[in-house]
Amino acid sequence: MSNLFHKFYVSFYSKTGGYVPARPLSQPIYPGDFFQIKNGEIIVLGNIYFGNMIKPEDINLVHDEHSQAPVWKMEEGVRRLYSGRSSAPGLGGEEFEFSKQVLGFAGYGSFLFSSANRKLVRIANWSELQDQLIIKLTQIYYSFREVFVVTESASTSHWSLAVGGTHDAELEIATATENFGLVDIFDHVDVRTIQSKNVEYYHLQKERMPTFFKAKKLVVQDEKVRTFINELIINRRKHQEWALNFFDQFAAAPPYINPLSNHPECSLLDTLRANELNPNTALLYFKWADMNLDDIALLFPKYGN
């Protein structure tokens, strides 16, 4: 179950220019929130505007600048098995008409998403804040080595998401609202579920909430990474030579393999000498980078389906 939403999150990031849905989806994410990703969830730890980490005179937020942007609608592996209008007797015996649609899902994680009336809140002066945030988040207020900061949040008046669990998953929905001949009713706010089969997730969010966001992540400067790796290789070779002399009962060591080749920055800061990383040197070691697909992969630990 952990990877049920993986296709949706990857597609959403790619098709919206870098926005990420909250995880869990019920969690609001605000501009200035800083968080870490633990066990596939976003753990919000605070906000840069709370407690005057950022001075009131330095607050510069822009609202709704992309309100006329294209509507966020996307899908993968979904078929319209039936779309049309039908009628049925009401409680008073009179016939009433309704629109009905049956959706079929191609497999596990196939999804359909729709939203309307997007609004945005963005940190307009990020370039002016980024250096002081590095110092404050790693040295003064906190001692983070890994952290994300939300730079933009987006909300919609409503959104709908359905995710299939098997290759034969189906969702049957209906609405009595007049739609002037339109038969795609998935994003109607008054749609009702008639029945579903093997649909693992279906939700209609009717209240406006900041569910989608962009973020920057704290990373180690590239030059420092290269320097650390070179020093680590030299030190590990010396370590092996020393060990063979100190523990004389062991055979010769195999050729050295760099254990940080895939994730070079993961332990490098732990090797710094005491006080080498401080408020005066923090900008030499850290920078900000956009949250990307590698970070989205952290939201889906590799276990289960």
Side-chain angles (χ1 to χ4, degrees):
M1 288 295 294
S2 68
N3 292 332
L4 177 68
F5 296 97
H6 183 260
K7 292 179 181 178
F8 168 61
Y9 276 70
V10 170
S11 180
F12 197 97
Y13 177 90
S14 302
K15 294 179 180 180
T16 62
Y19 283 90
V20 181
R23 184 156 170 92
L25 285 165
S26 59
Q27 177 174 217
I29 303 290
Y30 301 99
D33 280 354
F34 52 89
F35 65 87
Q36 293 180 332
I37 298 175
K38 301 294 183 183
N39 298 321
E41 289 195 2
I42 293 172
I43 309 299
V44 176
L45 302 171
N47 190 289
I48 63 173
Y49 299 114
F50 182 75
N52 289 325
M53 183 184 299
I54 298 300
K55 297 178 180 178
E57 60 266 28
D58 291 332
I59 297 175
N60 186 357
L61 299 173
V62 172
H63 298 259
D64 302 337
E65 64 178 340
H66 297 322
S67 59
Q68 302 303 316
V71 175
W72 283 346
K73 293 185 178 182
M74 62 198 74
E75 62 183 76
E76 183 174 330
V78 175
R79 296 176 297 145
R80 275 71 175 171
L81 302 179
Y82 172 83
S83 296
R85 289 187 65 80
S86 302
S87 62
L91 294 177
E94 298 181 355
E95 293 283 320
F96 72 94
E97 289 192 345
F98 61 93
S99 295
K100 185 173 75 170
Q101 190 168 32
V102 180
L103 304 170
F105 297 80
Y108 184 84
S110 297
F111 71 90
L112 176 61
F113 173 84
S114 182
S115 66
N117 303 318
R118 181 166 78 255
K119 291 186 177 181
L120 169 72
V121 182
R122 179 175 64 87
I123 298 177
N125 59 337
W126 171 260
S127 61
E128 300 170 8
L129 301 179
Q130 57 182 347
D131 286 352
Q132 63 170 292
L133 284 175
I134 288 177
I135 297 172
K136 289 177 179 179
L137 289 172
T138 67
Q139 301 297 311
I140 299 177
Y141 287 84
Y142 301 93
S143 56
F144 288 123
R145 299 297 178 261
E146 297 179 2
V147 73
F148 297 80
V149 176
V150 177
T151 57
E152 301 182 30
S153 289
S155 63
T156 62
S157 61
H158 62 274
W159 58 263
S160 301
L161 173 65
V163 186
T166 63
H167 70 280
D168 60 349
E170 293 183 5
L171 177 65
E172 184 176 351
I173 54 179
T175 178
T177 301
E178 175 60 54
N179 58 10
F180 303 99
L182 299 177
V183 292
D184 194 350
I185 62 174
F186 181 73
D187 60 355
H188 281 220
V189 293
D190 62 348
V191 72
R192 297 291 184 268
T193 302
I194 298 177
Q195 61 180 352
S196 65
K197 180 179 72 173
N198 296 328
V199 174
E200 293 290 342
Y201 180 88
Y202 175 50
H203 180 69
L204 172 57
Q205 175 66 34
K206 296 184 178 181
E207 293 79 30
R208 183 175 292 278
M209 188 174 70
T211 304
F212 316 102
F213 67 92
K214 287 185 177 182
K216 299 285 187 179
K217 62 177 178 179
L218 190 68
V219 297
V220 179
Q221 293 275 10
D222 297 336
E223 182 178 344
K224 290 298 183 181
V225 171
R226 291 191 293 268
T227 300
F228 281 149
I229 290 178
N230 290 334
E231 292 178 353
L232 180 62
I233 292 174
I234 294 173
N235 290 334
R236 285 300 298 271
R237 286 173 176 165
K238 293 179 179 179
H239 175 266
Q240 290 178 354
E241 294 173 358
W242 164 83
L244 289 176
N245 292 324
F246 191 82
F247 305 102
D248 54 9
Q249 68 269 39
F250 297 114
Y256 175 72
I257 299 176
N258 176 18
L260 300 180
S261 57
N262 293 326
H263 302 285
E265 66 271 29
C266 63
S267 300
L268 296 179
L269 296 176
D270 293 336
T271 67
L272 292 176
R273 298 182 183 276
N275 297 322
E276 189 172 345
L277 179 58
N278 56 62
N280 295 320
T281 63
L283 297 182
L284 299 176
Y285 288 93
F286 293 108
K287 65 178 181 178
W288 294 105
D290 291 333
M291 188 175 182
N292 57 34
L293 289 174
D294 290 336
D295 304 308
I296 289 178
L298 300 176
L299 298 172
F300 301 94
K302 295 181 180 180
Y303 59 84
N305 290 321

